[in-house]
């Protein structure tokens, strides 16, 4: 809980009047502040009494942070240092929100403001509530800021000017150039708002002047335009009359043209009919000429036919003669063909006989050769029987030899065995075991050895005999092989002879076939010759008949031609009659047509005259039409000009009216500028002495009357009266200079607080303002501030100067828990 004036510490003379029972009508008091993940504070609550409240702690502990959090709650991010994303505690995760809740009281009504940053991208939330009302009065960043500005009647800039003397503010103010300082202080006390308004009014005035002078330069006299308008109206009237007169003339000429056109159309119709009849007559005449031509042609053809008839009579009998001669000629031509064929056949017969004789000649020789070869070939089967026999013998000899060899090998091995046993018995002598009963031979040794010797001899004999049989057999086998070889050679020779026989036989066959073929050909020719039989044919006779035939053929042809011509005689006579009749009719038609032309009474000259008159009248109409068009154009041109002048006149009148209003505006803005100027003079004339008076009072209090008068020049440069003389600030000590600047800054806050806002904000924050002051001075400053409590109910003092602990009734000590976190507690 808070420690009030009645805490355990010794009472300070500076805090006697801290509790104010008399609460004035409007005031603002900050009651509590809760921070969650706000910069170095992870979770921290503050309660603030109406008092002097101190914050102490090492550099970087988070003293200014507490004050900044209050500003953030009220005015949002623009009231903080750096960017929004840096506000959340460095130790907090993205999921942990950064939050500030501020409770304050204004004229007895309690409010609660909340601001929050959520999520990775630090989404801002805000709301403000009034005690006793559930629904928030405003939400969202801008909404809450606007509500607070309205509620306190202080915008964010004025709030900082009056409530906060921020760290470094004093040093900055002192080190500024005069011009800059003047601007800054004017901004703090809001005189620059008047400057801005005056500037805006000036701009507007300049703009009006420019517009007016621009309009003036282009302005015409209305009388001139009115004169022009009158003249143009006269011209329009005149042109209208001209148009009416031209229209009348045109109407008259059009009437005449119509009459001429009627006459011309009548004559044109007659002319067209005349042309049509003339064309018809021409056509009829041409047809008549055609008919006459045909008539002439038919007559000529009839004359020709008469002549042909006569010639025909003179040529009687030609046809019969030609017929007879043709028959004779055909007979002779048949004979001629037969004679030719007979000659061919005789020739063919001779040829085949010769061929046959030639084929016959080698046949006997071939037959003899074949007989000889066949004789040889007949030996083949005998030879093959002999060879078979020899082969059989060879096989049996071979078999016998194999048996002998086996037997001899058997004898050889048995012999070897026997010899071995015998040698062993001889080596062992009588101790040798019996080969049958295995007991020692003893007395049987003699007979046994004799038996063995006999056996061995018999074996040798047998072996020898078998060897002799074997060599005999082998000799026989060789003989057989040789004999078979010889036979084989002979057989091959005989097989060659057989192939030759085959070949010869084929030759013989072929020759015989050809002979047969020739014989059949001969027979055919002989048969045909017989069929032709005997006949006579004379070539000279035939030539004479042929010549006669050709002569008669020509004559016959002529006769046929003439007969064809004569055949159409009747037809031609009828044609002649028809043509004569048609010609008569055509002539009648021509006469009728000519009569119609004469009846029409067409006059070329009269037509030409009518046409010319029509043309002349048409030209007159065209001329009059042209005149009318020109008159109309002139009228329209005059009307257009008139309209444009009327428009111009209307615009001019409007511009004059507008200029009148602009002039009024200009006068207004000129007056406004003047008023702003006077107002500003009045304001700064009043505010500067007021600030100087407040600062002088503070200076007097803090220096215990050593200095009691602080003067401010135009640029808020400070001068101090010392012992009746005025000196510029630079003449004083560093600590005195800082003090003077602090007094000035507090005086500004006082004046701003007095002048602005519906509800005076009765707190002030002084961040590190004791810098160079000694303990006594600090005490005096606090005392002076204490006296200011009629104006400032809460004074927040931030300092790393430990001694203020002993002076101030409420102290929050801020300590660093670790690298990233701090905590505050009342000491
Ligand atoms: N989001 C944050 N998380 C943790 N620390 C922060 C964060 N933002 C700022 N800081 C640190 O908080 C510290 C406190 O700054 P602050 O200005 O409040 O200190 P101060 O106590 O007023 O010090 P001085 O006496 O030097 O004026 C600084 O060191 C700063 O780097
Ligand atoms: Mg600080």
């Amino acid at each position: 809980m808070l420690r009030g004036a009645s805490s355990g510490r010794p009472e300070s003379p500076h805090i006697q009047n801290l509790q104010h029972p008399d609460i004035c009508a409007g005031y603002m008091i900050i009651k509590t502040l809760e921070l969650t993940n706000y910069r170095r504070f992870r979770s921290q609550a503050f309660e603030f009494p109406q008092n002097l409240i101190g914050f102490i702690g090492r550099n970087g502990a988070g003293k200014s942070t507490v004050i900044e959090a209050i500003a953030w709650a009220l005015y949002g991010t623009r009231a903080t240092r750096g960017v929004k994303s840096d506000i959340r505690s460095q130790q907090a995760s993205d999921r942990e929100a950064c939050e500030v809740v501020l409770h304050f009281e204004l004229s007895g009504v309690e409010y609660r403001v909340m601001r929050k940053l959520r999520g990775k991208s630090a989404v801002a939330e805000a709301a403000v509530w009034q005690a006793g009302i559930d629904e928030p009065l405003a939400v969202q960043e801008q909404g809450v800021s606007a509500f607070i500005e309205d509620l306190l009647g202080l915008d964010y800039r004025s709030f900082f000017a009056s409530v906060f003397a921020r760290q470094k503010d004093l040093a900055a103010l002192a080190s500024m150039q005069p011009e800059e300082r003047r601007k800054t202080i004017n901004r703090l006390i809001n005189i620059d708002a008047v400057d801005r308004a005056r500037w805006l009014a000036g701009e507007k005035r300049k703009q009006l002047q420019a517009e007016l002078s621009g309009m003036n330069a282009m302005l015409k006299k209305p009388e001139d335009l009115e004169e022009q308008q009158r003249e143009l109206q006269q011209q329009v009237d005149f042109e209208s009359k001209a148009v009416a007169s031209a229209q009348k003339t045109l109407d008259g000429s059009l009437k005449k043209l119509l009459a001429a056109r009627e006459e011309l159309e009548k004559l044109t119709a007659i002319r067209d009919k005349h042309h049509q009849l003339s064309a018809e007559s021409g056509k009829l005449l041409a047809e008549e000429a055609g008919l006459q031509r045909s008539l002439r042609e038919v007559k000529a053809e009839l004359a020709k036919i008469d002549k042909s008839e006569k010639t025909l009579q003179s040529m009687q009998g030609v046809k019969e003669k030609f017929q007879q001669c043709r028959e004779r000629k055909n007979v002779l031509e048949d004979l001629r063909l037969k004679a030719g064929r007979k000659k061919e056949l005789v020739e063919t017969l001779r040829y085949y006989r010769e061929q046959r004789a030639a084929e016959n000649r080698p046949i006997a020789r071939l037959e003899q050769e074949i007989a000889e070869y066949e004789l040889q070939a007949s030996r083949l089967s005998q030879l093959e029987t002999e060879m078979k026999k020899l082969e059989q013998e060879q096989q049996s000899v071979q078999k016998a030899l194999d048996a002998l060899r086996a037997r001899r090998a058997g004898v050889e091995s048995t012999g070897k065995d026997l010899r071995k046993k015998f040698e062993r018995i001889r080596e062992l002598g009588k101790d040798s075991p019996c080969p049958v009963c295995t007991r020692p031979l003893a007395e049987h040794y003699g007979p046994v050895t004799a038996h063995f010797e006999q056996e061995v001899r018999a074996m040798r004999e047998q072996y020898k005999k078998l060897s002799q049989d074997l060599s005999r057999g082998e000799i026989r086998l060789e003989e057989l092989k040789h004999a078979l070889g010889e036979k084989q050679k002979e057989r091959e020779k005989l097989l060659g002879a057989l192939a030759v026989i085959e070949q010869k036989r084929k030759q013989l066959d072929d020759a015989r076939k050809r002979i047969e073929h020739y014989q059949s050909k001969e027979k055919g020719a002989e048969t045909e010759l017989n069929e032709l039989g005997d006949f006579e044919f004379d070539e000279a006779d035939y030539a004479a008949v042929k010549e006669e035939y050709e002569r008669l053929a020509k004559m016959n042809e002529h006769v046929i031609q003439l007969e064809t011509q004569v055949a159409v005689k009747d037809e031609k006579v009828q044609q002649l009659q028809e043509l004569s009749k048609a010609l008569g009719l055509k002539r009648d038609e021509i006469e009728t047509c000519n009569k119609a032309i004469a009846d029409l009474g067409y006059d070329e000259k009269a037509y030409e005259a009518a046409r010319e008159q029509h043309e002349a009248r048409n030209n007159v109409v065209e001329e009059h039409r042209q005149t009318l068009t020109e008159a109309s154009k002139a009228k329209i041109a005059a009307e257009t000009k008139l309209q444009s002048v009327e428009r111009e006149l209307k615009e001019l009148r409007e511009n004059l009216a507008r200029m009148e209003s602009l002039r009024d505006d200009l006068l207004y803005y000129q007056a406004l500028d003047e008023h702003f100027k006077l107002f500003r003079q009045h304001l700064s004339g009043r505010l500067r002495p007021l600030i100087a008076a407040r600062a002088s009072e503070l200076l007097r209090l803090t220096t215990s009357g050593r200095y009691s008068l602080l003067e401010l020049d135009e640029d808020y440069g400070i001068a101090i009266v010392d012992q009746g003389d005025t000196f510029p600030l630079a003449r004083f000590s560093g600590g005195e200079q800082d003090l003077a600047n602090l007094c000035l800054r507090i005086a500004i806050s006082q004046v701003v607080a007095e002048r602005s806002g519906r509800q005076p904000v009765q707190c002030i924050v002084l961040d590190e303002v004791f810098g160079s002051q000694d303990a006594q001075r600090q005490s005096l400053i606090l005392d002076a501030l204490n006296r200011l409590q009629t104006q400032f109910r809460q004074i927040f003092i931030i300092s790393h100067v430990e001694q203020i602990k002993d002076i101030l009734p409420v102290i929050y000590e801020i300590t660093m828990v670790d690298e990233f976190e701090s905590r505050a507690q009342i000491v």
Side-chain angles (χ1 to χ4, degrees):
M1 261 317 288
L2 273 178
R3 237 168 0 117
S6 56
S7 72
R9 284 188 294 144
E11 286 278 296
S12 153
H14 314 287
I15 50 173
Q16 280 157 7
N17 296 322
L18 273 178
Q19 301 299 328
H20 284 263
D22 54 324
I23 290 168
C24 59
Y27 60 92
M28 178 200 182
I29 294 168
I30 296 169
K31 304 200 81 167
T32 67
L33 176 71
E34 290 156 37
L35 307 182
T36 312
N37 293 318
Y38 191 90
R39 298 205 192 267
R40 292 187 62 88
F41 296 100
R42 298 278 276 158
S43 174
Q44 184 70 55
F46 297 91
E47 271 185 56
F48 303 123
Q50 297 179 37
N51 234 324
L52 276 167
I53 302 153
F55 294 92
I56 55 168
R58 288 166 49 196
N59 289 124
K63 304 183 291 293
S64 300
T65 302
V66 180
I67 299 306
E68 185 206 66
I70 296 172
W72 185 56
L74 294 172
Y75 290 100
T77 310
R78 60 198 160 145
T80 64
R81 300 168 289 183
V83 290
K84 183 172 78 172
S85 53
D86 288 343
I87 295 177
R88 189 187 351 225
S89 162
Q90 227 167 303
Q91 269 183 317
S93 72
D94 287 343
R95 271 174 288 124
E96 291 176 279
C98 157
E99 188 178 340
V100 171
V101 178
L102 175 75
H103 251 97
F104 66 89
E105 193 183 313
L106 190 72
S107 306
V109 182
E110 278 196 22
Y111 296 90
R112 181 163 61 93
V113 195
M114 181 280 295
R115 281 190 199 261
K116 212 185 233 186
L117 296 174
R118 271 193 315 105
K120 195 175 177 182
S121 46
V123 180
E125 277 176 24
V128 55
W129 292 268
Q130 188 183 321
I133 302 177
D134 287 345
E135 284 295 299
L137 303 177
V139 289
Q140 293 186 340
E141 271 211 299
Q142 318 293 335
V144 170
S145 302
F147 175 83
I148 296 288
E149 279 189 7
D150 197 45
L151 185 73
L152 302 183
L154 275 182
D155 65 6
Y156 138 83
R157 275 151 42 92
S158 306
F159 182 82
F160 278 103
S162 57
V163 175
F164 275 90
R166 279 186 285 197
Q167 204 167 350
K168 292 189 202 135
D169 263 9
L170 298 181
L173 210 58
S175 65
M176 277 175 195
Q177 290 297 308
E179 166 75 6
E180 199 187 351
R181 186 171 55 235
R182 185 167 54 81
K183 274 191 189 155
T184 310
I185 293 177
N186 276 342
R187 203 172 60 236
L188 284 174
I189 60 178
N190 244 349
I191 282 189
D192 69 331
V194 181
D195 286 341
R196 270 199 311 283
R198 192 181 163 201
W199 179 83
L200 282 173
E203 285 300 299
K204 185 71 189 168
R205 200 193 61 218
K206 276 187 220 154
Q207 191 190 328
L208 286 169
Q209 268 168 343
E211 197 177 340
L212 263 172
S213 68
M215 285 173 92
N216 236 336
M218 308 213 330
L219 216 58
K220 277 185 182 171
K221 280 192 194 153
E223 308 82 58
D224 291 352
L225 282 177
E226 279 158 6
E227 177 61 27
Q228 247 178 321
Q229 186 192 22
R230 264 195 302 283
E231 279 169 14
L232 283 168
Q233 187 58 58
Q234 279 170 10
Q235 201 180 337
V236 169
D237 294 346
F238 173 78
E239 297 297 352
S240 299
K241 274 182 201 146
V243 169
S245 141
Q247 186 64 56
K248 204 170 159 195
T249 318
L250 179 63
D251 290 347
S253 57
L254 274 170
K255 216 178 265 168
K256 281 184 186 165
L257 176 64
L258 216 62
R261 185 171 294 160
E262 271 169 21
E263 177 65 12
L264 180 62
E265 275 166 3
K266 202 175 83 196
L267 290 177
T268 306
I270 293 170
R271 182 173 172 262
D272 290 348
K273 185 73 189 165
H274 174 81
H275 282 166
Q276 185 202 334
L277 286 171
S278 298
E280 209 170 306
S281 156
K283 196 177 133 227
L284 288 169
L285 284 170
E287 283 167 0
E288 187 204 13
L291 285 170
Q292 275 175 342
R293 202 166 42 245
S294 307
L295 204 62
R296 272 198 303 279
E297 279 165 12
V298 172
K299 274 179 185 165
E301 277 173 52
L302 274 170
K304 215 171 155 192
I305 288 169
D306 283 347
K307 212 171 140 197
S308 299
E309 269 179 333
K310 279 184 194 128
T311 318
L312 259 181
Q313 270 166 6
S314 73
M315 287 178 85
Q316 258 176 357
V318 166
K319 269 184 149 177
E320 286 78 21
K321 273 189 202 159
F322 172 69
Q323 203 62 33
Q324 284 161 8
C325 182
R326 190 168 62 188
E327 277 162 20
R328 172 84 185 123
K329 181 187 139 250
N330 287 348
V331 169
L332 283 175
E333 271 175 353
D334 280 352
L335 280 175
R336 191 166 178 261
L337 281 175
K338 274 164 84 177
R341 181 65 187 147
K342 195 173 178 179
K343 208 172 155 194
E344 262 175 35
L345 286 170
V346 170
E347 189 57 31
T348 309
L349 211 54
R350 190 189 56 75
Y351 168 77
Y352 284 122
R353 279 178 185 148
E354 277 173 16
Q355 289 294 317
R356 191 155 54 88
E359 287 291 347
N360 258 327
R361 272 192 292 278
I363 282 187
R365 183 176 50 80
L366 272 174
E367 279 171 344
Q368 196 187 337
E369 281 173 2
I370 288 169
E372 281 167 17
Y373 277 109
E374 272 175 344
L375 206 64
Q376 280 188 41
S378 67
R379 160 117 183 88
L380 189 62
S381 70
Q382 193 195 335
L383 186 70
E384 277 171 351
T385 317
E386 286 169 10
M387 278 174 81
K388 216 171 214 161
K389 255 191 192 164
L390 284 173
E391 274 165 4
Q392 278 167 0
E393 194 184 344
Q394 192 183 20
Q395 275 171 16
S396 73
V397 170
Q398 186 64 53
K399 243 186 191 163
L401 277 174
D402 291 344
L404 281 173
R405 278 193 194 104
R407 271 179 66 195
R408 192 174 70 173
V411 170
E412 195 175 15
S413 106
T414 318
K416 263 185 195 162
D417 239 20
L418 208 61
R419 260 203 315 277
K420 251 188 209 162
K421 281 182 186 162
F422 188 36
E423 270 162 25
R424 196 164 152 68
I425 290 172
R426 270 206 301 220
E427 270 170 29
L428 296 175
K430 286 184 180 172
D431 295 333
S432 162
C434 174
V436 183
C437 63
T438 68
R439 277 181 301 188
L441 284 172
E443 74 274 12
H444 298 293
Y445 178 74
V448 169
T449 50
H451 174 73
F452 265 102
E453 272 167 8
Q454 193 186 342
E455 280 280 292
V456 167
R457 254 193 320 272
M459 279 288 166
R460 256 185 214 139
E461 280 305 307
Q462 208 176 345
Y463 186 84
K464 201 171 160 190
K465 188 166 178 297
L466 283 170
S467 293
Q468 280 167 355
D469 288 353
L470 255 174
S471 66
R472 265 199 305 276
E474 274 160 359
I475 289 164
R476 178 61 192 150
L477 195 63
E478 273 311 302
E479 283 169 0
L480 283 169
K481 269 184 190 163
H482 178 73
L484 259 173
E486 289 301 307
K487 298 275 177 206
Q488 185 61 32
K489 276 182 206 158
E490 197 182 345
R491 186 172 169 262
E492 271 158 22
K493 218 166 123 195
L494 287 175
L495 284 173
L498 267 182
V500 173
I501 294 171
E502 260 329 282
Q503 204 185 339
K504 297 275 177 197
R505 267 197 194 125
K506 194 164 180 317
Q507 280 174 8
L508 196 61
D509 268 7
D510 289 349
R512 279 185 183 138
K513 270 184 199 146
R514 279 196 294 276
I515 287 166
E516 252 169 53
H517 170 73
Y518 297 145
Q519 274 173 337
S520 91
K521 287 280 179 194
E522 278 168 45
K523 209 168 174 184
E526 279 165 357
T527 318
E528 204 181 332
L529 266 176
N530 286 340
E531 277 167 5
L532 282 174
D534 283 339
F535 56 85
E536 289 290 323
F537 173 73
D538 183 359
E539 186 67 41
D541 191 14
Y542 168 71
V545 169
K546 198 179 166 202
E547 196 180 331
E548 177 64 5
Y549 168 80
E550 275 157 12
R551 193 182 64 84
L552 283 170
K554 272 182 200 153
M555 284 176 74
N556 186 52
E557 212 167 285
H558 188 50
V559 167
I560 291 167
Q561 227 175 0
L562 289 172
E563 279 173 352
T564 323
Q565 282 171 7
V566 170
V568 296
K569 186 178 175 180
D570 291 349
E571 196 185 315
K572 288 290 163 191
V573 169
Q574 199 182 344
Q575 255 183 25
L576 189 70
Q577 283 165 359
E578 280 166 6
L579 279 169
S580 304
K581 200 175 155 197
L583 195 60
L585 287 172
K586 200 51 71 183
R587 279 180 184 147
D588 288 351
E589 267 183 75
I590 289 168
E591 205 173 310
T592 315
C593 185
N594 284 345
K595 192 169 173 292
I597 289 172
D599 288 350
L600 208 56
Y602 168 65
D603 182 354
E604 179 78 33
K605 273 186 192 149
Y607 169 78
E608 275 305 315
R611 201 180 53 75
E612 273 164 21
Q613 190 180 37
H614 177 264
E615 199 177 292
R617 286 186 181 175
N618 199 28
N619 286 345
V620 170
V621 165
E622 275 313 306
E623 253 172 53
H624 290 166
R625 217 192 285 278
Q626 186 67 26
T627 313
L628 177 62
T629 311
E630 271 158 23
S632 300
K633 270 191 201 155
K635 185 185 162 203
I636 290 167
E639 279 170 348
T640 314
K641 269 191 204 160
L642 179 62
Q643 280 162 6
S644 132
V645 167
E646 280 170 350
R647 241 191 336 269
E648 217 180 321
L649 201 59
K650 190 169 163 246
E651 271 172 29
L652 179 65
R653 284 178 185 140
E654 282 168 5
N655 278 345
L656 283 171
R658 169 149 176 74
M659 278 169 80
E660 205 52 46
S661 128
L662 285 177
R663 267 191 217 104
D664 284 352
D665 287 355
L666 184 63
L667 284 176
Y668 167 76
Y669 278 105
Q670 272 166 348
L672 200 61
D673 187 38
E674 196 55 34
H675 287 312
F676 274 137
K677 201 168 128 194
L678 290 172
F679 177 58
R680 192 188 180 288
Q681 275 168 6
H682 168 77
L683 210 56
S684 64
R686 259 179 56 100
L687 289 182
R688 198 153 37 85
L690 200 60
I691 294 169
R694 296 278 185 274
S696 296
E697 176 62 9
L698 281 169
L699 191 65
R700 189 181 64 78
L701 288 171
T702 49
T703 59
S704 310
R706 167 83 178 84
Y707 305 113
S708 58
L709 203 55
L710 184 151
E711 286 173 4
L712 291 173
D713 65 14
E714 290 269 301
D715 297 321
Y716 296 92
I718 299 173
I720 294 172
V721 178
D722 186 11
Q723 311 286 336
D725 288 323
T726 308
F727 298 99
L729 192 61
R731 176 256 196 188
F732 296 91
S733 81
E736 287 168 338
Q737 286 181 26
D738 289 346
L739 184 65
N741 277 319
L742 175 63
C743 293
L744 174 62
R745 181 64 186 81
I746 296 173
I748 290 169
S749 286
Q750 273 179 288
V751 171
V752 174
E754 282 162 18
R755 288 180 56 248
S756 66
R758 267 172 249 128
Q759 325 269 19
V761 178
Q762 292 176 315
C763 53
I764 184 164
V765 177
L766 300 171
D767 193 349
E768 294 294 1
V769 291
F770 294 130
S772 56
Q773 308 303 316
D774 57 28
Q776 197 199 348
R777 238 332 131 57
Q778 286 170 13
S779 165
L780 285 171
I781 293 171
L782 289 172
D783 206 19
L785 289 173
N786 197 18
R787 281 164 207 268
L788 284 178
Q789 288 232 336
T790 45
Q791 240 177 344
F792 300 111
R793 284 166 177 268
Q794 276 181 320
I795 300 177
F796 295 91
I797 294 169
I798 295 168
S799 179
H800 57 271
V801 178
E802 286 277 318
Q803 293 89 304
I804 67 159
K805 263 192 199 172
D806 308 326
I807 309 170
L808 296 183
V810 180
I811 290 287
Y812 271 102
E813 184 169 55
I814 299 174
T815 46
M816 293 155 110
V817 180
D818 59 28
E819 218 181 327
F820 297 107
E821 193 182 340
S822 291
R823 275 194 209 128
Q825 61 180 37
I826 291 176
V827 290

